[in-house]
Structures are given as structure tokens and as C-alpha cells.
Amino acid sequence: MKKIYSLTKGTLHSPQVYRYKTRDGKAVFTFSYEQEVGYYDIIIHELPNFNGRESYPSVAHWLPSDLSPINKKVCFMNGKEPDTLDKAKKISTQYAELLWTYILTGITIDEQILRRN
């Protein structure tokens, strides 16, 4: 039976910050969700160490955000932003797993998505 991993409320920043532990249990990400007009921004509060991997915005798919203590939010193509909080939470867990795989293997998020399709 496949185990489902879900976000839990975090304690590091505020009640609106959620903590996500990767499926392998070796990395922690924290996110918050900011409602905009018609979509949600996924604000990144904490990331694991990149262990020497490149962390350019184009590789890690993030943009600057004043709402983030590390100045990062998940980047989306225009029109592809999550339009509900549930979708934003689901995408943030997928993003964490993709980014963690990149950190471990060097296979970029883009490459991982291409391989799935």
C-alpha cells in the first residue's frame, strides 16, 4: 500500500508555515501560501543544503519573494499557478520531491519532468 505524505503545520515561523519532510525522511522544506488574485504563491521558507549542486533560479524554479526569509517562491508559467490552497499544497510537496531528487542525483527538475512524459 502506498503511503501518503502530507504537509503538517510548522512551528519554525508561524501557524501559516507548513513543514514537509521528503519521502525518504532525509530533507525538510517549509512553505507558506499567499493568496493573490486568482491564484496562490508558494513561498519557500526553508530548503535543504544543495551539497554543491547549482542553485540558480532557472535550475531550481524559484523567483525572488519579499515574503520569504530566504527570498524565494516557486516559479510557475503564467496561467499555470495553483488556483486553490489544496492545489498549492500538493504542488509544494511535488516541488520538494523534485528538488530533493535534483540535490541527490543532479537530475534537474526539467529533466525529471521530461522523463515522466
Side-chain angles (χ1 to χ4, degrees):
M1 180 176 201
K2 185 175 179 181
K3 186 173 180 181
I4 297 174
Y5 295 86
S6 61
L7 293 172
T8 57
K9 282 194 176 186
T11 57
L12 298 176
H13 302 282
S14 76
Q16 292 102 356
V17 175
Y18 293 81
R19 181 177 186 266
Y20 177 74
K21 195 172 213 177
T22 54
R23 286 192 295 258
D24 65 6
K26 295 181 179 178
V28 172
F29 292 75
T30 57
F31 302 100
S32 64
Y33 309 94
E34 186 69 25
Q35 188 171 16
E36 301 294 337
V37 177
Y39 66 94
Y40 282 82
D41 273 336
I42 300 172
I43 309 302
I44 304 168
H45 290 258
E46 180 184 8
L47 294 166
N49 186 305
F50 272 63
N51 296 323
R53 299 268 185 228
E54 297 296 336
S55 60
Y56 299 118
S58 60
V59 172
H61 290 272
W62 58 49
L63 294 170
S65 172
D66 292 338
L67 300 174
S68 166
I70 60 172
N71 194 33
K72 293 172 178 30
K73 68 179 180 178
V74 177
C75 177
F76 292 95
M77 290 175 52
N78 286 336
K80 299 293 184 181
E81 302 93 344
D83 58 358
T84 68
L85 181 57
D86 285 341
K87 286 180 186 175
K89 287 179 177 180
K90 182 177 179 180
I91 289 169
S92 66
T93 64
Q94 294 168 339
Y95 173 80
E97 293 295 340
L98 289 165
L99 191 56
W100 183 235
T101 297
Y102 165 65
I103 292 168
L104 292 175
T105 67
I107 302 169
T108 65
I109 291 173
D110 291 335
E111 290 172 25
Q112 292 173 64
I113 291 170
L114 283 173
R115 289 178 183 187
R116 288 181 184 173
N117 296 328

